[in-house]
Amino acid sequence: MRPMLTAWLCLGSPWMSVSVVDGEASPGAPGSRDVHLAGEAAPATLARQVAQPPPGEPRITATFVSAPLRDVLFTFSEFAGISIVPGADVTGIVSADIRDQPWDEALRVILDSHGLAARELENGILRVDDIENLNRREGVEPLETGVFHMSYATAADLLPAAQSLLSDRGSASLSLATNSVIVMDVPRVLAQVEALVGELDIRAPQITISARIVFVNRTGLEELGVAYDLRDSRGHHLLLPSGAADPGEDTGGTGAEAPGSDAAGESVSGEMVLLDGSSISALGNAATRISGSALSVLTSLVLGRHTLLAFLEALETLNLSRMEAAPYISVLDNQTARILVGERTPIRVLDAGAGSAGELQSPVVPTAAVEIQETGIVFEVTPHVTEGGHVLLDLHAERSFAEFTPAASDAGVIFHTQEASSRVLVQDGETVVIGGLTVTEEIESRSGIPLLMRIPVLGALFRVDRRQTIQRDLVILVTPYIET
């Protein structure tokens, strides 16, 4: 049976019976002792029966009915085995029914209901008094200095918490050289700061994080087209597209024609060919020829004095680019680690100035500044070890690069970025995919001879078709390990 403390009140009796037994007990039982109150008749008599709690379970069950507050304090003193000294102004009547509660919590609630407080002195005695009286006594106590050295935590991080405990007369400062917090205050505050440091200055676990960041770029290109060249055997075609080769020129060294001249010896000026006499020449799809074609088929059809040349060209390419980064980093619990493998690109920023509306102002000379933009592979993580061997990860992974293009000359450069941010809960040693991103871009273009290119089926003979597919994949895998 659970030992308990039971107290009840007998009105109108000038004596108080106190029985201390083990197990069950009743008033007047053998082994009890009577304590008579001499010199005064008490308005109420408290009969108390006390049983000590089992070790490790300081819980109390008590019933007080119109009991003097001082007697209640003595009851708690006897139960807990501590010394309690009430102040001169501590008076009152207590009526309470406490059932299986920690004795210190029960005592605190009773004191709070009477506007009282308890403070433990250095010698272990518990002083009970009015809160104002305790603060008044504390205001004249001599200040003491305590130096609290940090072994794992940073003193600058603990300083705000220590300052929140200070009294009106206290002060706290830092010693960066020794990683310590110096507190000057009354002994009560020093004891609280010491307890706080003991709870916060603990060894934090260390986490090793292994990650794999995979970037895959696939580019596919398909081109198919037909170009035509109608030429007169007595003359030459009129125009050559800018940057295109002459379809009829002899590059094999046979001497049929030479670049820069026609069959009649007329000169070619730039992209224009001067014809000799009456003639008809034509080009079809010459400006959309396939560059670097993998297959070229040439056909020739003679129509009287004219020759029709047809060029069938086809090209199919596939480019695959794979980039894999495997960062490996160790970091303490609740600390942020960051890895950057890349470059810093300077960006010029122009500030043209701004004038106030409605006011005439002199011209403002633009000023230029340089900003640095980080590009490459960035991996940033903040781990936190939870109960049960899990790791809570705040992650950010990024891959970026700068592209210099003529179209972006005024703005500087174009930045291409692939990134993923996430917060995941992972088991120790478990691998998790925190990001998977696939971007597919398809570009189709069609150009050819007007009207003829739209003819069903046969229209493919009069046009050039291009189809480009760009696919970008991003996969991020993370594995945390808790080091012991």
Side-chain angles (χ1 to χ4, degrees), residues 437-456:
L437 175 63
T438 299
V439 178
T440 302
E441 179 182 0
E442 294 186 357
I443 303 174
E444 294 186 5
S445 65
R446 177 175 293 181
S447 60
I449 302 175
L451 300 180
L452 296 181
M453 62 177 290
R454 301 179 183 177
I455 299 176

Side-chain angles (χ1 to χ4, degrees), residues 132-332:
E132 295 182 357
N133 293 336
L134 291 175
N135 292 335
R136 191 180 304 113
R137 292 189 182 96
E138 192 176 76
V140 297
E141 287 185 10
L143 299 182
E144 298 182 4
T145 301
V147 180
F148 304 95
H149 301 280
M150 308 301 159
S151 299
Y152 304 103
T154 303
D157 295 336
L158 288 180
L159 181 61
Q163 290 175 336
S164 64
L165 301 176
L166 298 178
S167 64
D168 296 337
R169 304 164 56 202
S171 62
S173 59
L174 268 180
S175 175
L176 297 179
T178 60
N179 193 32
S180 305
V181 176
I182 304 173
V183 179
M184 178 179 292
D185 212 321
V186 295
R188 175 186 63 84
V189 174
L190 295 181
Q192 293 178 352
V193 173
E194 183 179 5
L196 177 66
V197 171
E199 294 180 1
L200 299 182
D201 186 30
I202 58 177
R203 180 178 179 179
Q206 182 166 293
I207 302 96
T208 299
I209 300 172
S210 174
R212 290 183 61 191
I213 307 174
V214 182
F215 306 93
V216 179
N217 290 342
R218 299 179 182 89
T219 302
L221 177 63
E222 297 177 0
E223 294 182 291
L224 178 64
V226 182
Y228 297 95
D229 181 6
L230 178 63
R231 63 175 55 191
D232 189 348
S233 60
R234 301 178 183 178
H236 228 285
H237 54 278
L238 294 176
L239 296 175
L240 286 175
S242 177
D246 182 351
E249 90 179 3
D250 183 9
T251 59
T254 61
E257 291 182 15
S261 64
D262 59 10
E266 299 290 341
S267 64
V268 178
S269 176
E271 296 180 353
M272 181 172 290
V273 178
L274 300 179
L275 298 179
D276 183 17
S278 299
S279 179
I280 297 176
S281 297
L283 290 175
N285 296 335
T288 56
R289 299 283 298 275
I290 298 176
S291 177
S293 61
L295 174 65
S296 297
V297 178
L298 173 63
T299 62
S300 176
L301 177 62
V302 178
L303 302 173
R305 58 180 286 185
H306 292 83
T307 302
L308 177 62
L309 301 176
F311 296 86
L312 174 63
E313 300 173 330
L315 175 67
E316 181 177 355
T317 61
L318 177 62
N319 297 324
L320 178 62
S321 172
R322 175 187 174 94
M323 178 182 295
E324 181 174 337
Y328 189 86
I329 191 170
S330 296
V331 62
L332 288 177

